[in-house]
Amino acid sequence: EIVLTQSPDFRSVTPKEKVTITCRASQSIGSSLHWYQQKPDQSPKLLIKYASQSISGVPSRFSGSGSGTDFTLTINSLETEDAATYYCHQSYNLPITFGQGTRLEIK
Amino acid sequence: EVQLVESGGDLVKPGGSLRLSCAASGFTFNDAWMDWVRQAPGKGLEWVGRIKSKTDGGTTDYAAPVKGRFTISRDDSKNTLYLQMNSLKGEDTAVYYCFTERDGSGIYYPGYWGQGTLVTVSS
């Protein structure tokens, strides 16, 4: 099973700040890495797929990069509505696995 | 508009059974690969399993914790995905989401998720 480890687990940030969340895979997964945002009592929302592919309707301040084992989700100029938990997810092989999540709090 | 609507969540006793449904609309369901993911209260996301389209063999795959107890099926005539859960345990308590791994156009991860349905296993 591929283990995904996100860092940090939690971060408190201010609006307009730039935030970087990392996801490290226990083995190489190519670009089969996707990012989700989940707000309380909502289902996950796809932000980025295949490491860096943008998703229609997602604000351009969200971007992704990386390949192999190390991946990054960047949020430029954070907005208050970005308070949420963020998850990475690998689809390289089964079982599909998720990172443990990174909770962003907006000060 | 694409919609995935789960239903069937309930309070059930340990050892009991429950069937969840996920009604799909707005895309070609019969060619889609569909997955179930769950989230225990206050915890992260855990993949449960998936079913491919019948044209791709209709095969199913499961996560280790549910293999042999849970069964994923589909009724393409009703555009509905199912999760039959047997021998339920307390650790199966979670919100269960369905999502589309591959849509009918062959696009992987189009971002279709349901709103979730809560399963509580408790005596």
Side-chain angles (χ1 to χ4, degrees), chain B residues 66-85:
Chain B
V66 307
K67 197 167 187 177
R69 299 188 299 124
F70 289 12
T71 302
I72 298 174
S73 61
R74 62 192 300 157
D75 184 337
D76 291 342
S77 69
K78 294 182 179 178
N79 283 359
T80 301
L81 172 74
Y82 299 102
L83 178 64
Q84 177 67 44
M85 303 185 293

Side-chain angles (χ1 to χ4, degrees), chain B residues 21-84:
Chain B
S21 300
C22 168
S25 60
F27 65 100
T28 307
F29 179 79
N30 58 286
D31 284 334
W33 296 11
M34 299 296 298
D35 293 56
W36 287 98
V37 164
R38 66 185 180 182
Q39 187 169 35
K43 302 297 184 183
L45 301 166
E46 179 186 24
W47 180 73
V48 172
R50 77 123 106 103
I51 186 166
K52 293 184 177 180
S53 62
K54 285 191 168 56
T55 54
D56 288 311
T59 55
T60 52
D61 295 281
Y62 300 94
V66 307
K67 197 167 187 177
R69 299 188 299 124
F70 289 12
T71 302
I72 298 174
S73 61
R74 62 192 300 157
D75 184 337
D76 291 342
S77 69
K78 294 182 179 178
N79 283 359
T80 301
L81 172 74
Y82 299 102
L83 178 64
Q84 177 67 44

Side-chain angles (χ1 to χ4, degrees), chain A residues 34 36 38 41-46 49-50 55 87 89-91 94-101, chain B residues 35 37 39 43-47 50 61-63 97 99 101 107-111 113-116:
Chain A
H34 321 290
Y36 296 86
Q38 187 180 34
D41 298 319
Q42 294 186 18
S43 56
K45 174 186 174 183
L46 183 66
K49 67 178 183 180
Y50 294 105
I55 303 298
Y87 294 95
H89 151 214
Q90 68 81 20
S91 61
L94 296 180
I96 287 170
T97 51
F98 292 85
Q100 81 278 15
Chain B
D35 293 56
V37 164
Q39 187 169 35
K43 302 297 184 183
L45 301 166
E46 179 186 24
W47 180 73
R50 77 123 106 103
D61 295 281
Y62 300 94
Y97 298 100
F99 81 88
E101 181 177 339
I107 296 174
Y108 285 86
Y109 300 100
W113 283 69
Q115 85 290 349

Side-chain angles (χ1 to χ4, degrees), chain A residues 2-89:
Chain A
I2 295 173
V3 176
L4 298 178
T5 303
Q6 292 181 229
S7 62
D9 291 329
F10 171 82
R11 182 145 178 221
S12 184
V13 293
T14 54
K16 294 188 170 50
E17 197 172 333
K18 177 180 173 180
V19 172
T20 298
I21 299 170
T22 65
C23 178
R24 174 163 288 176
S26 59
Q27 67 182 73
S28 180
I29 58 172
S31 297
S32 299
L33 191 285
H34 321 290
W35 290 98
Y36 296 86
Q37 175 193 67
Q38 187 180 34
K39 297 182 179 179
D41 298 319
Q42 294 186 18
S43 56
K45 174 186 174 183
L46 183 66
L47 296 176
I48 299 287
K49 67 178 183 180
Y50 294 105
S52 60
Q53 290 184 23
S54 57
I55 303 298
S56 175
V58 174
S60 58
R61 63 181 180 275
F62 292 93
S63 63
S65 63
S67 67
T69 60
D70 293 305
F71 301 85
T72 300
L73 173 70
T74 300
I75 312 174
N76 283 299
S77 193
L78 204 72
E79 299 193 5
T80 55
E81 67 190 37
D82 299 333
T85 300
Y86 293 82
Y87 294 95
C88 57
H89 151 214

